[in-house]
Amino acid sequence: MSIENKAAVKTIPLGASGLSVTPVGLGCWQFAGGVGFSKMFWKPVPQETATEIVRVSLEGGVNWFDTAEAYGRGASERALAGALAALKVAPGSVLVADKWLPFGRTARSIAKTFPARALALQPYPVDLHQVHMPASFSSVEKQMAAMADLLDEKKIKAVGVSNFSAAQMEAAHRALQKRGYGLASNQVRYHLLERGIEGNGVLSLARDLGVTIIAYSPLAQGLLTGRFHGDSEQLKKIGWARRRNSGLSREGLERSRPLIEELERTGAARGLGAAEIALAWLIDKNPGRVAVIPGATRPGHAALNVRALGVTLSAGEIAWIDELSARAG
Ligand SMILES: NC(=O)c1ccc[n+]([C@@H]2O[C@H](COP(=O)([O-])OP(=O)(O)OC[C@H]3O[C@@H](n4cnc5c(N)ncnc54)[C@H](OP(=O)(O)O)[C@@H]3O)[C@@H](O)[C@H]2O)c1
């Protein structure tokens, strides 16, 4: 099967790495196979469904995928590679972002665990390798030195971090600069109801350093799609960890209702839904600097989310949604 990329999608640079990504990528945590902590968030996704999710994403113009060692201890990486292979996607024609799990580990484990990452993803290379969170026993400098070794050895093409504060991000960037590189990205939680990075220095420093922000949970794990506002009984079907993590409570739904109604109105005028507008807002508010990685367990949702690539919001729409988002936060 060959993928027809229907959309002529503009890409944005991934830091100064020379790589570029579509402003919408696909988050692949959902492919963790119900293993480990992931099962508190997502039901297992059969391989055929994962393949279909990847297919509709590619058809919609997406050129990259975010996965991690932590997502089912390799299950997500294997499911992504399996999907790409089933779709006969040529290695190197899409970009794969992976993550090293730093918990309880020193920087030495970056090199030690890399072969397992490469094996799980084979024949697709790890293009961007990220430190999943600032939780290693080693200093940021040591972690970046280990990542720079992988760059030197041409095993990866770019280095990113995730959940790093402004100070940690700057330390990572400076450490990589000493080796002739730079930090490509910081992956952080950023959505209309979680805008901490706008005030804590991460967004402005990323702009100054030329580091791309990758917005995770951009739909607040479903809340911003309006589907729970339309049917709050759906709250009963999801696990407590996800409910707690994303403000998926009856109170949370009521507080955000005016925002969701505006997202729905703005979407309806274009034949779209709230989800696409919530994603487009993150992209258009931060042109060229923020990419979003919505996840999906159903192909239909992935097919909707990629439509955000075709949306351009006016300055007035961005400002009004901004205002309602601030009131809901
Ligand atoms: N670096 C980190 O620490 C970190 C943390 C979290 C996530 N991530 C990354 O970010 C990605 C996305 O984050 P996330 O999965 O937490 O949250 P998200 O993308 O905000 O939400 C994904 C969930 O929202 C629902 N959904 C998605 N599109 C929808 C649509 N159009 N209509 C209705 N419902 C829709 C689906 O729920 P159902 O499955 O219930 O249908 C889907 O599983 C992950 O896959 C992962 O790659 C990284």
Side-chain angles (χ1 to χ4, degrees), residues 119-321:
L119 185 67
L121 278 165
Q122 67 165 349
Y124 301 94
V126 178
D127 297 294
L128 172 72
H129 205 21
Q130 306 158 94
V131 173
H132 206 141
M133 61 271 294
S136 168
F137 289 137
S138 296
S139 65
V140 168
E141 287 72 17
K142 283 193 175 143
Q143 293 170 66
M144 291 303 114
M147 286 290 194
D149 290 344
L150 294 178
L151 286 168
D152 285 349
E153 294 158 16
K154 310 243 176 294
K155 289 181 173 159
I156 61 172
K157 299 192 187 77
V159 175
V161 293
S162 179
N163 300 299
F164 271 39
S165 68
Q168 290 161 336
M169 184 174 70
E170 177 151 30
H173 186 64
R174 301 286 172 230
L176 286 166
Q177 278 185 320
K178 286 192 189 140
R179 295 281 297 265
Y181 302 109
L183 185 68
S185 56
N186 188 4
Q187 184 176 136
V188 289
R189 178 146 58 163
Y190 183 32
H191 57 69
L192 273 162
L193 298 169
E194 172 55 73
R195 297 173 57 182
I197 65 160
E198 293 176 7
N200 67 12
V202 167
L203 190 59
S204 57
L205 185 66
R207 189 175 47 230
D208 295 348
L209 300 178
V211 171
T212 300
I213 292 293
I214 300 175
Y216 76 68
S217 304
L219 295 170
Q221 300 195 325
L223 189 152
L224 289 166
T225 69
R227 88 178 210 227
F228 295 99
H229 293 78
D231 174 14
S232 61
E233 287 299 299
Q234 282 196 43
L235 287 176
K236 292 182 186 151
K237 296 190 190 142
I238 60 172
W240 67 268
R242 179 172 165 196
R243 283 205 302 271
R244 222 180 132 171
N245 195 45
S246 294
L248 280 160
S249 61
R250 284 178 195 279
E251 193 202 13
L253 295 184
E254 280 325 303
R255 215 177 26 247
S256 54
R257 193 172 292 281
L259 168 66
I260 300 301
E261 286 172 354
E262 184 55 31
L263 295 178
E264 287 173 342
R265 259 194 302 276
T266 308
R270 294 168 163 88
L272 302 171
E276 298 95 298
I277 304 302
L279 297 173
W281 184 87
L282 290 169
I283 296 165
D284 287 353
K285 186 172 165 67
N286 306 283
R289 307 198 176 280
V290 170
V292 301
I293 46 168
T297 57
R298 308 169 213 203
H301 286 165
L304 292 176
N305 297 342
V306 292
R307 300 197 303 180
L309 286 168
V311 179
T312 305
L313 296 175
S314 69
E317 287 172 325
I318 293 171
W320 180 226
I321 293 169

